[in-house]
């Protein structure tokens, strides 16, 4: 007799509880990207798998962001670094000003700076925020550049002279009755990933220490909800929304963060994952705008604490109409860039980067790639008048495969996509002992080595199981053993020479001769060697 009223009472209490919970909390949707790299058009290889060309593109990204934002009264769109630089031709030609314009148009609010934001130096990054024409190139895209409305954040990029941060450490945003602090940090290794001269006077502090130091300050401002935009990443080994096992530097950073941090949006490794570390979401949306992370937060109105946090990576598909305003910006960039493009030769077949990625090496690869071999050969050929015998280039400088078009024509924009940094080549003299030490420095760090790409004639074997400093064997040039006491003329780019990747032995190189830009060398080589073909593999061998 009393069971039905009792059941109704339970249901009524449950309903009232849900209504009270909803009234006492606010839902905020955070939409996030990372490692966009000026990819205004759909990226042919963004997802790293067949069919990826049907994903991404700024106009479709804008449309998806608008769709996802419309489902939540309270929302914000943010980025976890590498928004610009290492970009395709249509953005890089204009110093990434079209990307800034597109992101402002689609409502990007914040960007926690990444390492690539520093590729062209601190002054150029400040210009991106503040505006003004480039001191050397002027304003190529529009008659004027007013700078980004979106705000850069950099909690751990500190001026040595006075301890001031390059950009604000955090931004507090209001969503109805609740507030969220967004902290932006980049990886501490940034100093070793860019030309040291371009960041002179600045240091890159520990990300987690910088974050933890801000928590008491935020609490004095009655802010309890904290989201970190961390440009540091890892590897999860699953799909876009999976996390079988998160590894890599990001895990250690997150585990040391103050428990007050509620969610961490990451980048750098171009991986996609949705993980939980110590109970909080840790996410990454791949790269090039082919995914956008949806982070839904439930925040208590009374305390300001995050009650629940759920994340999901959404694919930027082409089954919706692209945003017309952003599409017009992209088309403007394409139209102006086309006037600067040119045919530089022909391509016999695809020449790719596979093998050079750290993940390839982690899976047992040698570190050698067809594109790396080609670029090193081009740099050797372009600096032969400086006496170059060997050329070495960093795999991180290879940003896109060379893919054969139906008519086989090779455009300058194709080469620029592969080599977008415009680094000068420098030929210097090293002893055989120094050359061996240089190659050993590839394996000096605990993380997966970044294996330099080598020009034809140079060959060696490396053993991953050997002790550090003893991994390189059978080092030869044109079949003859490298003599420790002999000298050799070696070409590298000024990124490596300036401290990138921390090959310190290069500091000892003498008799330096500055040569052309890397992309100029590749263009000259392509014109002289049409049709371009993938060089034969086998320069680097691995024994485990």
């Amino acid at each position: 007799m009393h069971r039905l009223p009792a059941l109704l009472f339970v249901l009524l209490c449950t309903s009232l509880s849900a209504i009270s919970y909803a009234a006492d909390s606010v839902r905020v949707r955070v939409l996030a990207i990372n490692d966009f790299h000026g990819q205004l058009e759909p990226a042919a290889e963004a997802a790293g798998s067949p069919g990826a060309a049907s994903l991404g593109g700024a106009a479709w990204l804008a449309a998806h962001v608008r769709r996802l934002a419309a489902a939540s009264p309270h929302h914000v769109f943010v980025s976890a670094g590498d928004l610009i630089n290492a970009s395709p031709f249509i953005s890089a030609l204009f110093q990434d000003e079209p990307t800034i314009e597109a992101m402002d148009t689609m409502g990007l609010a914040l960007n926690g700076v990444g390492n690539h934001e520093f590729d062209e130096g601190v002054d150029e990054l400040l210009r991106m925020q503040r505006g003004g024409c480039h001191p050397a190139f002027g304003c190529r895209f529009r008659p004027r550049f007013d700078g980004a409305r979106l705000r850069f954040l950099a909690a751990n990029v500190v001026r040595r002279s006075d301890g001031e941060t390059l950009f604000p450490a955090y931004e507090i945003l209001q969503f109805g009755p609740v507030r969220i602090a967004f902290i932006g940090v980049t990886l501490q290794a940034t100093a070793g990933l860019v030309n040291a001269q371009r960041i002179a006077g600045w240091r890159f502090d520990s990300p987690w220490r910088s974050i933890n130091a801000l928590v008491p300050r935020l609490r004095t401002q009655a802010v309890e909800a904290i989201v970190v935009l961390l440009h540091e990443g890892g590897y999860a080994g699953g799909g876009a929304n999976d996390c079988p096992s998160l590894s890599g530097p990001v895990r250690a950073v997150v585990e040391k963060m103050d428990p007050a941090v509620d969610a961490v949006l990451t980048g750098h490794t171009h991986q996609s994952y949705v993980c939980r570390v110590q109970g909080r979401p840790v996410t990454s949306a791949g790269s090039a705008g082919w995914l956008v992370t949806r982070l839904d937060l439930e925040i208590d109105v009374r305390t300001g604490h995050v009650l629940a946090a759920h994340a999901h990576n959404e694919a930027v598909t082409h089954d919706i109409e692209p945003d017309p305003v952003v599409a017009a910006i992209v088309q403007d960039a394409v139209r102006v860039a086309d006037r600067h493009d040119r045919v530089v030769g022909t391509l016999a077949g695809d020449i790719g980067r596979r093998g050079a990625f750290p993940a390839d090496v982690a899976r047992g690869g040698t570190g050698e790639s067809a594109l790396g071999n080609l670029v090193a050969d081009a740099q050797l050929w372009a600096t032969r008048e400086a006496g170059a015998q060997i050329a070495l280039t960093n795999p991180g400088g290879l940003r896109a495969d060379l893919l054969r078009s139906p008519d086989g024509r090779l455009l300058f924009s194709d080469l620029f996509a592969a080599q977008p940094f415009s680094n000068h080549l420098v030929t210097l003299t090293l002893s055989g002992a120094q050359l061996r030490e240089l190659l050993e420095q590839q394996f000096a760090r605990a993380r997966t080595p970044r294996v330099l790409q080598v020009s034809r004639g140079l060959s060696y074997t490396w053993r991953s199981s050997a002790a550090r400093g003893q991994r390189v064997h059978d080092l030869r040039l044109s079949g003859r053993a490298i003599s420790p006491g002999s000298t050799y003329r070696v070409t590298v780019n000024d990124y490596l020479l300036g401290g990138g990747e921390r090959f310190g032995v290069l500091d000892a190189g003498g008799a330096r001769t500055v040569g052309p830009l890397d992309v100029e060398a590749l263009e000259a080589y392509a014109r002289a060697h049409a049709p371009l073909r993938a060089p034969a593999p086998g320069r680097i061998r691995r024994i485990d």
Side-chain angles (χ1 to χ4, degrees):
M1 295 281 298
H2 299 287
R3 294 176 68 181
L4 183 57
L7 177 59
L8 290 173
F9 178 76
V10 171
L11 292 174
L12 177 62
C13 289
T14 302
S15 299
L16 290 173
S17 175
I19 292 170
S20 175
Y21 180 85
D24 293 339
S25 65
V26 171
R27 292 181 179 178
V28 179
R29 173 163 290 182
V30 180
L31 303 174
I33 58 172
N34 52 271
D35 300 276
F36 184 73
H37 290 294
Q39 191 68 55
L40 296 173
E41 295 183 294
E45 206 180 352
S49 61
S54 62
L55 298 176
W60 285 276
L61 174 62
H64 280 277
V65 167
R66 184 176 63 245
R67 173 183 62 82
L68 292 166
S72 176
H74 301 293
H75 54 262
V76 65
F77 180 32
V78 299
S79 165
D82 282 6
L83 186 68
I84 56 174
N85 293 328
S87 306
F89 186 66
I90 66 166
S91 185
L93 178 65
F94 310 110
Q95 300 299 117
D96 283 309
E97 291 169 16
T99 292
I100 295 296
E101 183 177 335
M103 288 296 161
D104 278 341
T105 301
M106 68 178 79
L108 186 69
L110 304 171
N111 178 49
V113 296
N115 57 290
H116 279 288
E117 260 83 24
F118 294 90
D119 282 346
E120 298 200 31
V122 169
D123 290 344
E124 174 63 0
L125 180 53
L126 288 170
R127 187 184 75 86
M128 288 288 100
Q129 181 73 87
R130 298 171 180 171
C133 294
H134 190 279
F137 308 130
C139 285
R140 289 174 168 173
F141 183 53
R142 304 289 194 206
R144 55 183 287 175
F145 176 62
D146 293 328
R149 293 195 301 273
L150 67 96
R151 294 177 294 283
F152 293 117
L153 302 178
N156 66 327
V157 185
V158 179
R159 187 160 45 212
R160 295 182 184 277
S161 61
D162 58 11
E164 292 293 318
T165 57
L166 176 62
F167 294 111
Y170 60 89
E171 186 84 15
I172 298 173
L173 299 182
Q174 189 86 31
F175 301 94
V178 302
R179 298 195 296 169
I180 303 176
F182 292 85
I183 302 174
V185 286
T186 190
L187 69 163
Q188 193 169 11
T190 295
L193 296 174
V194 297
N195 190 311
Q197 296 176 352
R198 298 175 182 176
I199 55 171
W202 297 87
R203 71 173 192 262
F204 294 80
D205 290 345
S206 159
W208 67 269
R209 291 183 190 278
S210 300
I211 293 163
N212 291 356
L214 291 171
V215 171
R217 187 192 309 180
L218 293 172
R219 282 181 168 154
T220 65
Q221 301 176 68
V223 177
E224 295 292 341
I226 301 174
V227 174
V228 169
L229 308 178
L230 169 63
H231 195 74
E232 178 65 281
Y235 302 89
N241 288 290
D242 299 327
C243 190
S245 178
L246 182 63
S247 61
V250 70
R251 187 175 192 97
V253 173
V254 174
E255 287 176 344
K256 293 175 182 176
M257 285 183 192
D258 192 295
V261 173
D262 296 293
V264 186
L265 305 170
T266 77
H268 189 55
T269 52
H270 293 201
Q271 302 298 299
S272 56
Y273 46 78
V274 175
C275 302
R276 281 195 175 266
V277 178
Q278 297 178 329
R280 52 193 162 201
V282 178
T283 71
S284 177
S287 66
W290 64 276
L291 290 173
V292 59
T293 298
R294 170 175 53 81
L295 172 66
D296 290 316
L297 303 174
E298 189 88 24
I299 302 176
D300 189 291
V301 171
R302 183 178 59 86
T303 66
H305 285 289
V306 172
L307 301 172
H310 301 285
H312 189 271
N313 280 326
E314 305 269 355
V316 178
T317 57
H318 291 182
D319 54 359
I320 62 174
E321 287 296 315
D323 182 279
V325 180
V326 174
I329 295 170
V330 176
Q331 286 308 306
D332 285 348
V334 170
R335 183 171 57 254
V336 180
D338 280 347
R339 296 202 296 264
H340 294 267
D341 209 353
R342 54 191 179 270
V343 177
V344 297
T346 56
L347 197 60
D350 295 350
I351 305 178
R353 296 167 293 162
R354 186 172 300 279
F357 297 113
D360 296 326
V361 179
R363 289 192 290 265
T366 65
E368 181 182 7
S369 72
L371 183 61
N373 287 347
L374 175 70
V375 168
D377 287 350
Q379 294 180 359
L380 175 64
W381 182 84
T383 56
R384 60 196 185 283
E385 291 185 1
Q389 300 166 274
I390 298 165
L392 305 169
T393 194
N394 54 301
L398 310 175
R399 305 304 294 193
D401 297 342
L402 294 179
L403 302 176
R404 189 182 186 279
S405 63
D407 63 3
R409 293 195 314 164
L410 183 65
L411 302 177
F412 178 76
S413 57
D414 298 324
L415 301 184
F416 192 91
Q419 287 264 273
F421 295 107
S422 295
N423 292 310
H424 275 282
L425 301 181
V426 181
T427 304
L428 46 79
T429 299
L430 295 176
S431 70
Q434 290 169 329
L435 177 61
R436 179 179 294 276
E437 182 183 354
L438 172 63
L439 296 175
E440 290 287 359
Q441 286 181 342
Q442 298 173 123
F443 314 106
R445 289 158 289 194
R447 62 183 175 86
T448 302
R450 294 223 173 197
V451 178
L452 294 171
Q453 309 296 284
V454 305
S455 57
R456 64 164 50 100
L458 188 69
S459 65
Y460 69 93
T461 299
W462 66 279
R463 186 185 298 271
S464 62
S465 59
R468 290 186 187 177
Q470 301 176 29
R471 293 184 177 176
V472 174
H473 301 276
D474 197 25
L475 178 57
R476 295 177 176 272
L477 180 61
S478 299
R480 300 183 64 179
I482 293 286
S483 170
S486 298
T487 58
Y488 300 87
R489 295 288 283 166
V490 181
T491 294
V492 296
N493 60 49
D494 62 0
Y495 161 73
L496 291 172
L497 191 58
E501 307 287 348
R502 301 190 178 183
F503 289 97
V505 70
L506 290 173
D507 293 341
R512 300 181 181 187
T513 303
V514 178
L517 297 177
D518 48 15
V519 71
E520 292 174 346
L522 190 55
E523 178 182 4
Y525 188 82
R527 290 184 182 277
H529 294 81
L532 277 185
R533 301 180 186 277
R539 301 174 187 185
I540 304 173
R541 299 176 300 277
R542 177 175 179 175
I543 302 174
D544 288 305

